[in-house]
Every structure is written in C-alpha cells, then in structure tokens.
Amino acid sequence: MGFFTKDIKTLNDLFVHTLRDIYYAEQQITKNLPDMIEKATDGSLKKGFETHLAETKNQIIRLEKVFKMHGVDATGVDCPAIDGILEEASDIAGDVDDKKVLDAALIAAAQAVEHYEITRYGTLIAWANMLGRSDCASVLQQNLDEEKATDQKLNTMALRGVNQKAA
C-alpha cells in the first residue's frame, strides 16, 4: 500500500498508516544497526550505535503501546523511504576502504535515518493531538526526544573528531 491510497480517508486513517510506517521503519533499523556497529571503528561511534539499538527496541515497545491505546493492531506497512535510506547506507559503507572515512559515512547514514524518524514522529504527535489523543502523543514524544538526542550526539561526534580524522 502506497502512502496515498484509497484506504486513507480520514486523519485517523492517515495517523494509523503513518504509525505503521514508523513501526516498520524501527524494525528495519534494528535489523541494520548490528551491521553498522560491526563496521564502525571509532569507539564512541560503536558505543553510540549500541546504545541506539537498545533505544530503538524500547521505541518499538512504545509504538506497540500506542497501537494498543489507539485500538488498532500493531502491524507495519512497507516503507520504501526507510528501505532506500538503509540500502544507500549499506551501499556507501560497502564502497569505503578507509576506516576513518567509513566512520564519517556511517554517521552521515545514521543521521539520514534519524532525520526520517524525527519527521515521522513530529507529524504523528501533531496528528495525535489533533485527534484528541494526547495520551498517544506523549508516548510518541518520548521516541521523538530520543531521536533528536541521538541526532545531536551523532552531529557532535562528526564535528568534534570523526570528520577531521577522515579529512
């Protein structure tokens, strides 16, 4: 099912579809992070990816809570956007021989993922509030806060060392 389909008629339908989109995305991220952990050579980056893997697993649990609160099944829908971002990250990481440059590439790829998640969570929170579901919005806000914090940590790592080592 594409993002704009006949099955989406109301804001609630759109909310549920997007919730399923990010649920799928988080599951794909948990499948891809171990490879990024393995490829990272910078100790802080490796540790950061390990921490984010644990956070992502908790984010999936929170999403399942939102599904339950909203009275819908916790199922994902294919998300070509996250699949493309993750595929591009894998392709780039496979093409880099210099380990210092590889770490910079991994950070860039991870930030692309974070930015996707940040947009999805921000939108879901706004829609949940519009639908009178501040309870769902507050749970989703926890995920958004973690995604923003991860993005900031990645940015700091890049600017304070990884990118300089790669140059």
Side-chain angles (χ1 to χ4, degrees):
M1 168 163 71
F3 194 76
F4 295 105
T5 71
K6 293 177 185 174
D7 296 334
I8 299 173
K9 294 181 175 36
T10 66
L11 183 61
N12 186 68
D13 294 341
L14 189 56
F15 174 77
V16 171
H17 178 83
T18 306
L19 191 61
R20 289 180 170 152
D21 173 284
I22 195 65
Y23 186 65
Y24 171 88
E26 295 290 17
Q27 291 173 329
Q28 294 308 112
I29 293 162
T30 60
K31 292 177 185 174
N32 282 269
L33 269 170
D35 188 45
M36 294 175 80
I37 292 166
E38 184 180 316
K39 289 180 179 179
T41 61
D42 181 88
S44 295
L45 180 57
K46 188 179 286 281
K47 186 174 189 281
F49 285 157
E50 289 168 348
T51 298
H52 195 58
L53 178 57
E55 285 176 349
T56 302
K57 289 176 181 177
N58 286 329
Q59 290 168 356
I60 290 170
I61 291 167
R62 283 191 208 110
L63 287 171
E64 290 168 348
K65 180 179 179 181
V66 172
F67 279 114
K68 186 174 183 178
M69 292 164 62
H70 202 63
V72 294
D73 292 334
T75 58
V77 294
D78 286 347
C79 174
I82 201 65
D83 288 339
I85 291 168
L86 292 170
E87 183 180 336
E88 180 182 24
S90 179
D91 289 350
I92 290 172
D95 289 340
V96 178
D97 291 329
D98 184 325
K99 298 301 180 199
K100 292 174 184 165
V101 175
L102 176 60
D103 285 339
L106 289 171
I107 287 177
Q111 284 193 282
V113 169
E114 293 308 311
H115 292 185
Y116 179 80
E117 292 173 297
I118 289 167
T119 62
R120 282 293 182 247
Y121 283 119
T123 298
L124 283 166
I125 291 163
W127 289 342
N129 284 321
M130 290 297 299
L131 293 167
R133 298 306 311 257
S134 59
D135 55 340
C136 293
S138 67
V139 175
L140 294 165
Q141 185 68 51
Q142 293 173 51
N143 285 9
L144 177 59
D145 292 344
E146 286 178 355
E147 301 299 359
K148 286 181 176 180
T150 297
D151 181 55
Q152 185 58 49
K153 289 173 193 170
L154 288 165
N155 197 50
T156 299
M157 272 188 254
L159 295 176
R160 291 197 180 154
V162 172
N163 288 350
Q164 291 169 336
K165 291 175 188 174

